[in-house]
Structure formats: structure tokens, C-alpha cells
Amino acid sequence: MVSFTIATGRRNDLVDITGPVRRAVAASGIDRGLATVFVPHTTAAVTINENADPSVKYDLLMGLDNLVPAGLPQYRHAEGNSDAHIKASLVGSSVTVIVEKGSLVLGTWQGIFLCEFDGPRTRQVLVQVVKTG
């Protein structure tokens, strides 16, 4: 398993972590398998989405903000970050990517993103590569 940290810059942020994940897969020496990318945080998540047009990141964050607005008076969580917990649950704490010939199998436009919903913070990302077939 490989662990690395990412510093986020805003309360809601999408940070491209494809490069560090590729390096973790290469360092594993595994030719064929599965790479799980996991964040051990309750207000952060991981997703795979388009990595070519930066407006996609904006649209994803805007869409989540519209679905789960911050500061609703009905929220009961005392820390004031209930929206962050909900967004993290909706997106999910991990993704799994196929590894073939020692490389991530991603679509042409796909990238892996750390999703920050309660930043700015420093987040830990864990990558576990498991050999298959």
C-alpha cells in the first residue's frame, strides 16, 4: 500500500490525483490487477470523471452544492459541516481501477480526483494494488 497527502485549497475542491496514483501503481510492480484508491476521511471523497475540460470540475461542485446546500437550519451536526458529510457519502470514499500492463486503465478523458468538501485541509490518500489473474 502507498500513502500520500494532498493539500486542498478551498472548502469545496476537486484535485487531480491521477499522477500520484499512477506512480503508486508503477511502484507496486504489479502487471495485472486492481488498484483501490481510498480516502480515510468523512468529509472528502474520490471520483473518476473528465479531466480534459476544467469546467467539468466547476459543474460537478456546483451541482453538488445545489443538491446539498451548506448551512441549512435543519442540519443538526454541531460542527456546521453537514453538507460536507452528505456530499462525501454521495460521491464515495473509494474507487477501483483496473491495472493492465502495469498501468491504470482509464478512458481517454478520465482522471482520478480527490473531492474536498470541508477544506482547505491536508488529506491522506491510500492506494492498494492487488494482483489478479
Side-chain angles (χ1 to χ4, degrees), residues 20-63:
V21 173
R22 284 188 197 281
R23 288 189 288 280
V25 168
S28 76
I30 293 176
D31 188 55
R32 171 184 273 171
L34 298 171
T36 299
V37 183
F38 173 75
V39 291
H41 305 286
T42 60
T43 57
V46 180
T47 194
I48 297 173
N49 214 300
E50 182 175 331
N51 194 18
D53 180 354
S55 64
V56 172
K57 294 189 326 184
Y58 170 85
D59 292 345
L60 285 168
L61 291 173
M62 182 207 48

Side-chain angles (χ1 to χ4, degrees), residues 1 5-6 12 14 18 31 35 37 40-41 48 54 64 69 75 100 102-103 106 129:
M1 181 176 66
T5 59
I6 296 292
N12 291 284
L14 285 167
T18 310
D31 188 55
V37 183
H41 305 286
I48 297 173
L64 286 167
Y75 291 147
E100 191 66 44
S103 297
L106 291 170
V129 185

Side-chain angles (χ1 to χ4, degrees), residues 72-97:
L72 290 179
Q74 298 90 340
Y75 291 147
R76 294 183 181 183
H77 184 49
E79 291 180 25
N81 60 354
S82 291
D83 64 307
H85 289 284
I86 296 167
K87 290 171 188 173
S89 289
L90 289 173
V91 176
S93 60
S94 68
V95 295
T96 300
V97 183

